[in-house]
Structure formats: C-alpha cells, structure tokens
Amino acid sequence: GVSDQDRVLAQRISDDGRACVVLLNKWDAVDEKDDKTYLKSVEYVKEALPAVKWAPVLLVSALTGQRCPKIYDAIDQAVTSHRTRVSTAVLNEVIRDAILWQPPPVRRGTKGQGKVYYANQVGVSPPTVALFCNKPGLFSENYKRYLERRVRESLGFEGTPVKFLWRGKRVRTIDQEKRKGASSRKGANTAAKGRYKGDSTSQG
C-alpha cells in the first residue's frame, strides 16, 4: 500500500513543481485480477496521493516485465507536458468554454460575481497560467479547481503540475493595456514598412 513516506515524497514533488509518474511494482503478485481490479488500484493510488493526483499511474512487474516498456513512454510524456507552452488564443478559448459551461456562482456575503477577463501562460517547467479577473476573492476554491481541471483535461497536461496565478485587475486597466499593445504593434509595423521602403529605394 501507500506509506506515509510516499505521501511526504508526493507532496514534495508537487511543492517543487516536478513532473511525476507513479509506479506500483509486484503487480504479478496480485491474484485473480481483471480490468476492474486495475482501475480500482489506480483510483486507490490517486486518492491516497492527492498531491500528485494528476500523475499517471502504472501497475508493473519487475519480475515478469509486465508494462515495464510503458514506463519510458510515460516519462517522456510527463517531461513533454512539463515543458509545454500553449498559445494565448487556445488557452483563452478553453477558459471561455469552461465558463460558458459552468459560470462562476455568486458567493454568499459578497457583492458581484467573479469574472475572468483573460488568461496567459507565463511560464513552463511547470506550466504556469495567470488568470486575470475582477477579484480573486469572488471565486470559491471549488470553482478554481473546476477551471484548473478543465484546463488540464483540455490541453493534455499529463504528468505535470500546473500552477495557476489568480490576479485581480480592473476593466479600465485591461483596456489601457490593450490600447497600448495595439499602439506598439502599429508602431512596429510602420517602422518595418519604412525599412522595407528604404531598402527598395537603395536597390533602385
């Protein structure tokens, strides 16, 4: 079974933001096993190690070699997920779909409803997502976990923790940043056109 030392190690892995694959050896010693036994064993491990519930679980046998070849594939996938960067457009599409499917509930004793303006991946190893909203305190922990789960499932972050940063921002500030970004892009395009025109003239 899962020991206290295993739980401590799992928590350390999660806290340090490491990729992880959980292996259970001596699967050959389990008698009268079937698909249900396998699924129940995987579920037991995930419940016993909640800190790394996102990690894939393989029940293997070092003695017979059962499922051992799958270990390296699982590790490769975990490393790839740990280093994955998702485009802002795709990330925001996932967030919008999740919110449309289940809008943030109004919390008792608070004024207003939580609103997510946009999201942006700000780091990798582990993937780190910043969610810009009106007020983080308006989102319950259950709803935060819901959004985080939808992001993980939709984008295939398997074998890696995903860090979420909830940041409060005013709509006015976001509009100003968008205008500033658009102005910067416009200036860059104008400068590029000017350089291109100058190059064409010099060649003539």
Side-chain angles (χ1 to χ4, degrees):
V2 176
S3 66
D4 290 339
Q5 185 176 0
D6 294 328
R7 293 186 180 91
V8 171
L9 179 58
Q11 189 62 56
R12 178 67 180 274
I13 290 171
S14 178
D15 292 343
D16 289 350
R18 306 293 185 182
C20 179
V21 177
V22 178
L23 304 178
L24 266 71
N25 192 22
K26 298 184 179 180
W27 185 241
D28 59 284
V30 179
D31 297 327
E32 299 180 2
K33 51 184 176 285
D34 53 21
D35 292 341
K36 290 184 179 180
T37 308
Y38 188 93
L39 293 176
K40 287 182 179 179
S41 299
V42 170
E43 186 62 26
Y44 159 74
V45 173
K46 289 183 176 293
E47 292 296 330
L49 299 174
V52 291
K53 198 171 185 177
W54 38 262
V57 178
L58 291 178
L59 310 182
V60 303
S61 171
L63 180 64
T64 66
Q66 186 178 15
R67 296 192 188 89
C68 288
K70 294 183 178 181
I71 295 175
Y72 295 104
D73 291 337
I75 292 174
D76 288 342
Q77 178 60 52
V79 172
T80 299
S81 297
H82 199 241
R83 300 172 179 173
T84 294
R85 183 176 291 278
V86 180
S87 72
T88 301
V90 171
L91 179 60
N92 281 277
E93 182 178 356
V94 170
I95 295 292
R96 281 194 299 268
D97 288 346
I99 293 174
L100 286 173
W101 180 261
Q102 184 175 326
V106 178
R107 299 193 66 180
R108 292 182 180 180
T110 61
K111 295 181 179 180
Q113 185 179 26
K115 294 181 181 180
V116 176
Y117 300 130
Y118 69 97
N120 186 30
Q121 185 174 350
V122 296
V124 295
S125 301
T128 303
V129 176
L131 289 138
F132 296 92
C133 58
N134 55 342
K135 190 175 181 181
L138 293 176
F139 296 87
S140 66
E141 291 302 316
N142 284 339
Y143 193 80
K144 288 181 179 181
R145 284 193 292 269
Y146 159 73
L147 275 186
E148 293 168 2
R149 184 176 68 253
R150 286 294 299 268
V151 169
R152 176 184 296 283
E153 293 174 351
S154 300
L155 300 177
F157 287 119
E158 185 177 7
T160 179
V162 181
K163 186 177 181 180
F164 291 86
L165 307 174
W166 290 79
R167 296 176 175 174
K169 265 196 175 182
R170 295 182 177 180
V171 177
R172 181 183 301 176
T173 303
I174 293 175
D175 290 340
Q176 290 174 348
E177 290 178 351
K178 287 182 178 179
R179 287 195 295 268
K180 184 177 180 181
S183 177
S184 298
R185 289 191 295 271
K186 183 177 179 181
N189 291 335
T190 301
K193 289 179 180 179
R195 287 195 300 271
Y196 177 77
K197 184 177 180 180
D199 292 342
S200 299
T201 303
S202 63
Q203 290 175 358

